[in-house]
Amino acid sequence: MALRALWRFIHRFQLIRWAILLVLTLILVMSAYFTYEAKTVDMADIKSSLQTKTEIYDHKDNGVGSLYSQKGTYVSLEHISKNVQNAVISTEDRSFWTNPGFDIKGILRSVVSLIINRGSIAGGGSTLTQQLVKNTLLSQKQTFLRKGQEIFMAVQMNRVYTKSEILAMYLNNAYFGNGVWGVEDASELYFGKHASELSVGEGATLAAMLRNPSYYNPIDHMDNAISRRNLVLTLEVEAGHLTSAQADAAKQTTLTLNNNYNEDSTDKYPYYFDAVIEEAESKGFSENDLLNKGYKIYTSLDTNYQDALDQTWANDNNFQNDASDGTKVQASSVAIDPQTGGVRAIEGGRGTHVFLGYNYATQLHRSPGSTLKPLMVYTSALENGYHYDSELSDKKQSFGKNNYSPSNWNGVYQNTVPMYTALANSLNVPAVWLLNKIGVQKGVSSLKRFGITLEKKDQNLAAALGGVSTGVSPLTMARAYAAFANDGKMPQTHSIRKIVDATGTTVYQADTQSKQVMASSVAKEMTSMMMDTYNNGTGASAKPYGYTVAGKTGSTETPKEWNVNGDKDQWAVGYTPDVVVATWTGFAYTTKTHYLQTGDGGNVDSIFKSEMTNLLPETAQTQFNVTSASAKVAAITASSAGTSSGSSSGSVWSDIQDGIQDGVNTVKDKAQEWYNDVQGLFN
């Protein structure tokens, strides 16, 4: 009774007809949508994009590699053996030469797959043309919507290109395992010959890999490759491309491997090339265009600098030992030209490089530790009336309403200490005392000039020691310290100088202007103090033998409740007039078992010393035009001792001269302070 009632209801309101109409309308709408997409896609650009690569040039305009996506060495169909053409067609698309871009049987198989897999297509049923569309225009996700797009675009591709052009594009775009795209490079990798020279068995072997390159390639799985090759040969017989005798003969041949493939130099500078893409994307270029439009990208890369850093990265002894579970300690480094801001070299991490993966040199956000002191505290102090030898309080004490009580890392305290000594030895109490005297906001403003903006919650005395949630990267720190090496002018860091498109038109030019962030005299006095960091301060063990380097080291401690002796992060930033190098090391994720342990292999000092030892001989080796603060004090002390026995009149005259000079310095410092205050109103 219930079924009859239901049927009468359906019949009365003609629901079946309405359902059919609805389905047909849906098909019409979807067809119109897919047709529009197929007509508007830049189909004519596919062939040219597969044939072109974006070329990368170094700072001297020498070619150093290419950027490309899923491309091999492009060869025309005439230079691809019929043996591989027939094998691929027999295996992947027997109706290739006659179908309109899709195959009805394949579509039916996809529909069945759609039903079985509840809306998700498991794969299969695609023609060569559809596979080419998928690889060049669409995502790899298998859905009903994408399958519809694939079919309609395949039809459009069939109208734009000849079958020979489509087959050539497919074979030049296909992936054959072991990081190789395209039949020409695959032929060189596996058999040491050109694609035009492939035998019947070799052609079948390459065709066999298309189903699963990692499982059927003969380098990693010879037995699987031979088994699949023999199946392909049988399919060629069924398709009429081989006789049974020819197939049997090919099955008896031995697969002889011979690698004659010359890898592109893209892999030689992987993190630098990643940074180039990252920077270009920030300027409005899409990743797809960068990999496929045939640009010429002129960079700031210095291959000598990069090779020098690579030497350090190749020696595991420079780094802390692996954690007990095998996790590698991470590290990153960047070298820049302080005059131009050009990024000369990048080390973006340790371990296996992942294309466009995480770059610790440019994308890191970690606490800078005491490397923040020169930027936030000491530069601001010099601009507010203090001098390199000003006496700072170094007593154990508390500050502010919250009774903030910093501790010196070495547990040693003096009543007072000169500023240059406090900086070189990275003493915490004097730095906090000084920031408290000049005012936190002046320190925050100073830091902002160097390109580091603190969040409101971090604008306190603890920031003097790098205790901030605002993380920084080596690139950010290198740029900030470049101002000290460049007479107070901070450059715009850039890895790209210009980009030229395929027509020869310059479509991007880097902004290389520098910004004056402090007076030249302040930069020189800061350099004078920071030379002692590596002469006799916290960076003494990181100093490269025979060279003078200025800069600052820093670290962040593990939580006290862990009760362990180690750091979360370690930093070393150093510079000469020619180059600035910023280096960081630490674990990707700091835990109780993943932290920098004291005495467990190398640390930031060993990394930095090795880098600078290798790199500085490649620079112009320009000398600083200032003397270290400790050397100045020693000279003054010696001079005072030598003149102490002189006439009292000479001493009086000297005192008068010193008094006049001190007065002049005070006026200059006060004027600079007023200028900074006024300037701060407009920041």
Side-chain angles (χ1 to χ4, degrees), residues 174-182 185-186 189-190 209-210 212-215 217 219-220 261:
Y175 183 60
F176 290 93
N178 288 294
V180 169
W181 277 269
D185 289 348
L189 175 67
Y190 294 111
M209 292 183 218
L210 296 175
N212 189 332
S214 63
Y215 187 72
N217 81 77
I219 291 178
D220 300 318
Y261 173 56

Side-chain angles (χ1 to χ4, degrees), residues 282-424:
S282 73
K283 304 302 179 183
F285 295 85
S286 71
E287 179 187 328
N288 182 66
D289 285 352
L290 291 168
L291 298 176
N292 294 307
K293 292 295 186 181
Y295 291 118
K296 295 182 184 297
I297 302 181
Y298 295 84
T299 73
S300 300
L301 172 67
D302 187 317
T303 56
N304 291 330
Y305 284 23
Q306 187 65 59
D307 291 343
L309 296 191
D310 288 346
Q311 290 180 46
T312 295
W313 249 248
N315 185 355
D316 286 340
N317 292 328
N318 291 318
F319 304 89
Q320 180 179 296
N321 298 328
D322 294 347
S324 58
D325 62 0
T327 302
K328 280 183 177 295
V329 66
Q330 272 302 334
S332 60
S333 191
V334 63
I336 72 169
D337 182 332
Q339 276 71 50
T340 67
V343 178
R344 296 299 193 209
I346 289 176
E347 296 291 350
R350 299 183 68 219
T352 303
H353 170 259
V354 177
F355 178 64
L356 291 182
Y358 192 76
N359 192 323
Y360 288 90
T362 61
Q363 299 173 337
L364 186 74
H365 294 282
R366 296 291 274 266
S367 171
S370 291
T371 57
L372 217 58
K373 290 176 182 175
L375 309 175
M376 185 177 189
V377 181
Y378 293 112
T379 294
S380 186
L382 293 182
E383 293 172 340
N384 285 276
Y386 288 86
H387 301 284
Y388 73 94
D389 58 352
S390 294
E391 292 293 324
L392 311 180
S393 176
D394 187 32
K395 298 182 293 185
K396 186 70 174 173
Q397 56 194 295
S398 299
F399 301 91
K401 297 179 181 179
N402 297 326
N403 291 320
Y404 178 58
S405 304
S407 301
N408 287 340
W409 62 271
N410 57 8
V412 177
Y413 303 89
Q414 306 170 62
N415 188 46
T416 61
V417 63
M419 185 191 294
Y420 72 91
T421 300
L423 192 160

Side-chain angles (χ1 to χ4, degrees), residues 380 383-384 438 441-443 445 449 669-683:
S380 186
E383 293 172 340
N384 285 276
I438 62 178
Q441 287 308 309
K442 286 186 177 179
S445 297
R449 280 182 280 147
D669 289 335
K670 199 64 180 175
Q672 181 67 48
E673 180 182 349
W674 290 340
Y675 171 76
N676 289 332
D677 288 341
V678 173
Q679 188 182 46
L681 296 176
F682 299 94
N683 289 336

Side-chain angles (χ1 to χ4, degrees), residues 147-210:
K147 198 69 176 179
Q149 293 173 306
E150 179 185 296
I151 292 170
F152 278 75
M153 288 183 182
V155 172
Q156 181 65 15
M157 179 176 283
N158 216 55
R159 292 174 178 172
V160 174
Y161 295 104
T162 66
K163 287 290 187 178
S164 294
E165 288 176 319
I166 292 173
L167 182 57
M169 287 190 288
Y170 175 84
L171 291 173
N172 280 286
N173 177 255
Y175 183 60
F176 290 93
N178 288 294
V180 169
W181 277 269
V183 66
E184 175 68 12
D185 289 348
S187 299
E188 294 286 359
L189 175 67
Y190 294 111
F191 305 117
K193 59 178 67 174
H194 295 297
S196 61
E197 302 169 332
L198 292 172
S199 66
V200 171
E202 290 164 345
T205 302
L206 290 187
M209 292 183 218
L210 296 175

